[in-house]
Amino acid sequence: MPILFDADKKIFHIMCKDCSYMFQILKDGSLGHLYFGKRLKDNNLSYLIRYEFRGNENYKDADTQSFSLDLLPFEFSTYGTGDYRHPSFQAMLKDGSTITSFKYIGHNIFKGKKALKGLPSLYMESEDEGQTLYVELYDEVSKLKAVLQYSCFENYNVITRSIKIINEGEKDVNIKRIMSFSIDFHDNNYKMLRLSGAWARERYVHISDIYPGIQSIESTRNASSPQQNPFIALLEKNADEFNGNVYGFNLVYSGSFLAEVEVNHFNMTRVSMGINPFDFNYLLKSGEDFQSPEAVMVFSKDGLNGMSSEFHNVYRNNLLRGKYKKERRPILINNWEATYFDFNEEKILNIAREAKDLGIELFVLDDGWFGCRNDDTTSLGDWYENKEKLPLGLEHLAKKINEMGMKFGLWFEPEMISPKSELYKKHKEWCIQVADREKTQGRHQFVLDLSREDVCNYIIDTLSSIFDRVPISYVKWDMNRHMTEIGSLMLPPERQRETGHRYILGLYYILETLTNKYKDILFESCSAGGGRFDPGMLYYMPQTWTSDDTDAIERIKIQYGTSIVYPLITMGCHVSAVPNHQVGRITSIETRGNIALSGNFGYELDISKLTDKEKDIIKKQIEIYKDISDIIINGRLYRIKSPFDGNDASWIIVSEDKERAVFFYCQSLSEPNPIFKRIKLLGLDENFLYEVVETKEKYKGEQLMYAGLNLPNFNRDFESILLRFKKVD
Ligand code: DGJ
């Protein structure tokens, strides 16, 4: 039984594969957090709650002075009655007060897991995959009910949490803060990992000590953002890549978020994550409810790698959906870095023809095919062919490409509108805006107001009419600016601060509708590269363009950082031209291929400019990808050497049966008179005999893992190897 309630001790015990999560109904009816860690057989942890006196605190029980909210670990904390840490929840009531005090009133445990209304969430396909617990709490004064929702996955060390607030009173309330979860750890013996960055350098790994007070990451951009991914991990101080306890937290949400770690004056650490309360307010009228996004919590006793593996498994099986969930995605060529806006049908067909000859399976036409779009200043919203470039239309182009034996894909940026567009002339009111304020532009564009149903339906109808007319197999869904002047002309003043969240709900509604309606189309999300790489988007679109930075050496860091949470199969990875367009670096086509082969493989360059030798290498890379793609999709990633720690980087991806593996190693700068380098591989079976496909050398698993593999002496910068290991009898 994965979820137990011990009525005597009033303890809830949630059990996953190797982890336990426990909390208790305390004597005042609130919920005290007991434990999150390695799986325990018994739930006898009541002794951990210490009802003790400390000076200068406030006490609920004036006589005994032992029940102070400031000294106890909570599961759902509120503001105003003595807990001074930032709470899970805060609302402003009709009388202007901001205090709530929730007490347990009941619970319900059932098999399986329910979807969240209007929001993406992990799913269970069968009731045997796990159980769900709803705990109901009630605040007598406000008449608000809080339903804490927990689901545990029996095959993983994964628990999801979210909260629903129901206004059962007659008066309206304003929700000021609602964290999807919060946990109070007993001590502060942790380091914090975050994935921070910017455009073109997304998800760099940062690990730092935690200290008394609040440390947080957030987005206020109404996109999950490249600046901070909605993910943090706490690593016990002795934990590293393969050892020690690690706790990972990821929010299934694509808008503004906050992840907060607060160490109080007794070294207790509160971790919470949810919609960013900054600039947020939600009016909850009598009878209405509000559902928070879901957070995914992972425990690993095997270091960061163990944590990543849990996220990868549960996301591959219980987050990604649709036809391409487990299928090899077509090897694509995208024309963006080959032509930018400067193309016509002939140029496109030439690139496609050359690509087809090399074995590429899908041609993607990027930005510039619509309206009068010849640069980035116009036409977003005018989703009809640019007749100057494509006089015969999209159907004709797609048909020609299909006739070559290739699939056809198309770029859109549906959430945006250019001030220079036909759509803007008709519908200025459709933008995110605040009346009487000048609208700030980003990349010469404004954001459409997806909190409005009419705008959402316009996007659905416009895209549907293209999908119905043109044989499209793939869509790149781009989004290239963050929001400013956040407001909606449709909403009353008291609901203006809901605009950002309502926008995200509108976006999810559009994506749910289109991905259900066009099940054969492979959708890839993109936000100026990997600016919205989050589980919310992955629920609808099973892959994301990892970064606009296509330089192989930069990509090692970006893909390594992304792999901390997200499976390799979710990352779009392309070989592009040199000198690289973002950093000017020249790397060999082999190295560019070797790094791109660890994800969803593709190309983004003008093939007609390549030498015959380079074209032969591309043919070989395509052959390799077809051979290893099942390992990329289903295999286990072991990160061996971090690019953030030195001059080289390495990883190995091992098939589920351990009979095959793909090993990658890259050295950035060559070294004079180099030392003899050797590296120990991971995850293989020590008893298997493996052959290296590339060299035909044979090694036992134990040799590779315990004695190591000799690395070549690289005498050029940016050299790399990709080796395939196959079990031989
Ligand atoms: C940003 C994307 O990340 C690029 O790949 C490309 O599609 C451009 N937008 C097009 O404007």
Side-chain angles (χ1 to χ4, degrees), residues 407-611:
K407 295 179 170 184
F408 179 68
L410 199 56
W411 178 97
F412 292 90
E413 196 176 356
E415 299 162 64
M416 296 292 151
I417 179 167
S418 304
K420 279 194 211 154
S421 66
E422 292 306 313
L423 185 67
Y424 191 71
K425 279 188 206 150
K426 273 193 248 150
H427 285 299
K428 291 192 176 51
E429 78 287 4
W430 276 11
C431 299
I432 288 285
Q433 61 190 288
V434 173
D436 303 330
R437 289 216 176 260
E438 198 185 325
K439 295 193 287 295
T440 304
Q441 294 191 16
R443 207 195 189 200
H444 313 286
Q445 63 202 50
F446 299 134
V447 184
L448 283 172
D449 180 358
L450 306 193
S451 74
R452 298 172 61 130
E453 212 179 325
D454 53 352
V455 176
C456 293
N457 288 332
Y458 150 81
I459 293 176
I460 292 169
D461 293 345
T462 309
L463 266 60
S464 296
S465 71
I466 299 173
F467 298 165
D468 290 340
R469 166 167 79 84
V470 184
I472 286 175
S473 306
Y474 162 104
V475 164
K476 179 171 172 187
W477 186 290
D478 207 347
M479 192 284 277
N480 281 298
R481 64 155 293 185
H482 295 148
M483 280 187 193
T484 50
E485 296 87 26
I486 300 178
S488 168
L489 296 186
M490 277 296 263
L491 292 170
E494 63 277 16
R495 289 209 181 270
Q496 282 298 320
R497 304 305 356 110
E498 298 169 18
T499 309
H501 179 61
R502 286 178 179 272
Y503 176 98
I504 297 294
L505 294 181
L507 172 62
Y508 291 153
Y509 162 69
I510 295 170
L511 293 174
E512 181 70 19
T513 310
L514 287 174
T515 53
N516 268 324
K517 197 165 161 197
Y518 299 97
K519 289 195 190 313
D520 285 338
I521 296 181
L522 169 61
F523 285 82
E524 172 159 340
S525 86
C526 171
S527 177
R532 214 165 45 179
F533 207 130
D534 62 63
M537 296 312 280
L538 288 174
Y539 178 75
Y540 302 101
M541 312 199 230
Q543 60 191 59
T544 300
W545 177 225
T546 314
S547 177
D548 271 352
D549 193 339
T550 56
D551 170 63
I553 301 305
E554 283 302 309
R555 270 303 186 107
I556 295 175
K557 284 195 203 146
I558 295 168
Q559 292 175 211
Y560 186 100
T562 306
S563 82
I564 296 283
V565 193
Y566 305 103
L568 300 182
I569 192 59
T570 61
M571 297 185 215
C573 303
H574 301 171
V575 173
S576 63
V578 288
N580 176 266
H581 294 193
Q582 290 76 39
V583 297
R585 186 176 284 134
I586 296 181
T587 53
S588 67
I589 188 111
E590 287 92 342
T591 287
R592 279 174 276 153
N594 287 347
I595 173 73
L597 281 163
S598 288
N600 260 307
F601 191 56
Y603 291 85
E604 188 156 338
L605 75 184
D606 188 347
I607 291 188
S608 63
K609 299 203 172 119
L610 299 181
T611 62

Side-chain angles (χ1 to χ4, degrees), residues 250-505:
N250 197 195
L251 194 66
V252 189
Y253 190 60
S254 311
S256 295
F257 74 92
L258 173 69
E260 217 170 54
V261 174
E262 178 171 6
V263 178
N264 79 352
H265 53 308
F266 282 91
N267 286 352
M268 291 157 100
T269 301
R270 173 168 294 175
V271 184
S272 44
M273 201 178 232
I275 293 176
N276 200 338
F278 173 78
D279 204 30
F280 171 79
N281 184 80
Y282 197 96
L283 172 64
L284 197 66
K285 296 204 164 190
S286 167
E288 287 182 349
D289 59 54
F290 183 88
Q291 173 64 56
S292 85
E294 181 167 278
V296 183
M297 315 195 303
V298 165
F299 168 73
S300 159
K301 59 179 174 26
D302 303 316
L304 260 183
N305 211 270
M307 180 207 73
S308 301
S309 173
E310 292 290 319
F311 274 114
H312 293 184
N313 286 334
V314 80
Y315 284 179
R316 289 190 287 213
N317 294 316
N318 302 81
L319 176 70
L320 305 188
R321 300 184 299 169
K323 177 176 163 184
Y324 284 97
K325 171 176 167 172
K326 287 272 172 129
E327 212 175 273
R328 177 170 78 72
R329 290 121 198 217
I331 298 168
L332 66 78
I333 182 146
N334 176 305
N335 73 305
W336 178 241
E337 288 200 15
T339 65
Y340 294 102
F341 293 102
D342 181 19
F343 61 83
N344 55 28
E345 188 182 277
E346 197 191 334
K347 218 174 185 177
I348 292 301
L349 289 176
N350 280 339
I351 297 177
R353 213 167 283 121
E354 295 253 13
K356 169 67 193 164
D357 288 347
L358 301 181
I360 294 172
E361 300 159 325
L362 162 70
F363 179 87
V364 179
L365 181 60
D366 210 281
D367 194 355
W369 59 266
F370 51 92
C372 323
R373 183 101 162 160
N374 295 317
D375 56 31
D376 64 11
T377 60
T378 74
S379 303
L380 294 171
D382 298 345
W383 299 112
Y384 46 81
E385 288 89 335
N386 180 329
K387 288 285 179 193
E388 251 177 54
K389 293 181 189 174
L390 302 175
L392 304 174
L394 280 172
E395 285 120 302
H396 184 262
L397 176 66
K399 200 167 149 249
K400 285 269 170 205
I401 286 175
N402 288 166
E403 280 167 7
M404 289 178 200
M406 284 179 108
K407 295 179 170 184
F408 179 68
L410 199 56
W411 178 97
F412 292 90
E413 196 176 356
E415 299 162 64
M416 296 292 151
I417 179 167
S418 304
K420 279 194 211 154
S421 66
E422 292 306 313
L423 185 67
Y424 191 71
K425 279 188 206 150
K426 273 193 248 150
H427 285 299
K428 291 192 176 51
E429 78 287 4
W430 276 11
C431 299
I432 288 285
Q433 61 190 288
V434 173
D436 303 330
R437 289 216 176 260
E438 198 185 325
K439 295 193 287 295
T440 304
Q441 294 191 16
R443 207 195 189 200
H444 313 286
Q445 63 202 50
F446 299 134
V447 184
L448 283 172
D449 180 358
L450 306 193
S451 74
R452 298 172 61 130
E453 212 179 325
D454 53 352
V455 176
C456 293
N457 288 332
Y458 150 81
I459 293 176
I460 292 169
D461 293 345
T462 309
L463 266 60
S464 296
S465 71
I466 299 173
F467 298 165
D468 290 340
R469 166 167 79 84
V470 184
I472 286 175
S473 306
Y474 162 104
V475 164
K476 179 171 172 187
W477 186 290
D478 207 347
M479 192 284 277
N480 281 298
R481 64 155 293 185
H482 295 148
M483 280 187 193
T484 50
E485 296 87 26
I486 300 178
S488 168
L489 296 186
M490 277 296 263
L491 292 170
E494 63 277 16
R495 289 209 181 270
Q496 282 298 320
R497 304 305 356 110
E498 298 169 18
T499 309
H501 179 61
R502 286 178 179 272
Y503 176 98
I504 297 294
L505 294 181

Side-chain angles (χ1 to χ4, degrees), residues 21 37 126 218 344 539 560 623:
Y21 186 96
S126 103
E218 66 174 351
N344 55 28
Y539 178 75
Y560 186 100
E623 223 177 81

